[in-house]
Amino acid sequence: MSSPVQFELIKTCKQSGARLGVLHTPHGDIPTPIYMPVGTQATVKAMTPHEMESLGTKIMLSNTYHLHLRPGEDIVAEAGGLHKFMSWDHPILTDSGGFQVFSLAGLRKITEEGAAFRSHLDGGKRFISPEKSMDIQQALGADIAMAFDVCSPYPCDHKTAEEAMHRTHRWAERCKKHHTRQDQALFGIIQGAFYDDLRIESAKVLTDMDFPGYGIGGLSVGEPKPIMYDMLEKIEPYMPKHKPRYLMGVGTPDCFLEGVLRGVDMFDCVLATRIARNGTVFTRNGRLVVRNAAYAHDFEPLEEGCDCYACKNFSRAYIRHLIKAEEITGARLTSIHNLRFLIRMMEEIRQAIMEDRFLDYRKEFYDRYDMTRNF
């Protein structure tokens, strides 16, 4: 049976080897490389679906763990699925819940059968197995579901990482066997922590299972960025060229550049809206903390030349005032800017790949971007 989600490799940059593609899904085509904003609770915080469309969003994420706890996948299914429930008639990806369970630390216990944990909301006992994760995601009805995996911490010893990797492989087989929804694609997730041999083994095993796409999990969990980049380089030769590669939980400008250079097609992260609510924004020069006193009399936009609604209409001084006064409009304006910044950056990256000048674009970006003001 062919997958309802198909990846089309359009071009490989002659200068860098970076990839330009299109991900065809039941709810529309997605140009890649792509940044996917995260709507944890079936909404990107402080944003409406109409606003997300106006920013150029092509696909959004939602969170299996959180939607299972609240409102529950049965209610979402009763509403007609996640697209209708959140009024978003474009592609959606749901994660498996594996990373959220991993993040619970002392509140969970992982066995071969699955993960037992206590809800962070009410302390109630819950259990998610590979099969249960598939049931939840199939009820939610996103275009792309992710296999239930085991994420290793950083740092961890080789034995711990190997055990988690092998369990991830066994769980991937169970997910694939249990997943039956024909209008939804299931992606596998490569693990192996920070060991070359394990990452390569995981890439080989998962690709042999012939998923329509592959997540790269267990990175950006506290390790130095050069280690993450090294892992991407190690597994790239073992990844199918005509299937999408998704670097999970990564969303800073430098990581976009380095990930694309190493063959990554898809990125997601909550960082853009999380830091926005604290009064911090992306700019071409690096991080800008607009809530700081230095901007109280600054009547320039958050970033000169930015085409977002916030920058075209409001000053740093005004947005700082809103943030300091704890007015929700301030968080909305900084969120609009940050989301548009990353979406526009990906548009520029795709154009640079099309014109065989991605290395030039990367250099121009770094020449201006102050890494001491990075995230």
Side-chain angles (χ1 to χ4, degrees), residues 107-332:
L107 296 176
R108 48 89 171 148
K109 180 180 180 181
I110 298 175
T111 65
E112 187 62 27
E113 182 57 27
F117 60 96
R118 289 189 176 275
S119 165
H120 74 286
L121 297 175
D122 59 14
K125 292 182 179 180
R126 302 288 184 130
F127 182 80
I128 296 180
S129 65
E131 292 79 11
K132 180 64 174 178
S133 177
M134 293 300 95
D135 289 340
I136 298 169
Q137 292 186 78
Q138 289 182 111
L140 295 174
D143 300 85
I144 301 171
M146 302 301 298
F148 196 53
D149 62 329
V150 185
C151 182
S152 300
Y154 176 82
C156 69
D157 58 68
H158 190 280
K159 183 175 183 294
T160 299
E162 185 174 23
E163 289 175 351
M165 179 196 72
H166 286 309
R167 180 164 284 164
T168 291
H169 297 167
R170 293 191 295 271
W171 284 6
E173 291 177 339
R174 288 166 58 184
C175 287
K176 192 170 185 181
K177 182 178 180 180
H178 196 76
H179 185 269
T180 58
R181 183 159 180 159
Q182 296 187 7
D183 63 347
Q184 182 183 72
L186 174 64
F187 284 15
I189 301 178
I190 294 167
Q191 289 289 349
F194 304 94
Y195 297 96
D196 296 0
D197 60 326
L198 298 183
R199 280 285 172 180
I200 291 171
E201 179 183 351
S202 189
K204 289 180 177 179
V205 170
L206 267 295
T207 55
D208 283 347
M209 292 186 195
D210 196 27
F211 288 96
Y214 297 92
I216 305 167
L219 296 178
S220 192
V221 292
E223 79 282 2
K225 289 179 180 179
I227 294 179
M228 175 173 68
Y229 302 151
D230 182 59
M231 291 297 100
L232 294 176
E233 290 175 2
K234 291 297 193 306
I235 65 174
E236 196 280 332
Y238 302 94
M239 303 286 285
K241 293 191 181 301
H242 294 280
K243 292 187 178 181
R245 307 159 181 178
Y246 164 27
L247 180 56
M248 305 177 74
V250 172
T252 59
D254 55 322
C255 287
F256 284 177
L257 294 170
E258 300 308 314
V260 168
L261 184 62
R262 292 160 175 82
V264 174
D265 306 299
M266 304 164 69
F267 303 81
D268 84 283
C269 193
V270 300
L271 182 70
T273 50
R274 178 176 290 167
I275 63 171
R277 295 192 298 277
N278 293 322
T280 301
V281 295
F282 296 111
T283 77
R284 299 296 172 129
N285 296 320
R287 180 182 68 244
L288 186 151
V289 185
V290 72
R291 71 179 300 124
N292 286 352
Y295 303 106
H297 300 275
D298 189 334
F299 301 104
E300 297 299 315
L302 292 174
E303 181 169 41
E304 191 67 42
C306 177
D307 63 2
C308 82
Y309 173 77
C311 286
K312 289 195 295 184
N313 291 279
F314 304 104
S315 68
R316 295 172 178 178
Y318 177 68
I319 294 173
R320 176 185 184 270
H321 155 67
L322 295 178
I323 295 290
K324 295 295 286 184
E326 298 183 352
E327 287 286 349
I328 194 170
T329 302
R332 280 176 41 74

Side-chain angles (χ1 to χ4, degrees), residues 6 12 16 27 41 79 100-101 139 152 167 178 211 242 244 251 258 269 279 285 304 311 338 342 348 375:
Q6 298 284 339
T12 300
S16 64
H27 284 86
Q41 306 274 9
Q100 284 68 41
V101 171
S152 300
R167 180 164 284 164
H178 196 76
F211 288 96
H242 294 280
E258 300 308 314
C269 193
N285 296 320
E304 191 67 42
C311 286
N338 280 352
L342 296 182
E348 294 170 357
F375 297 83

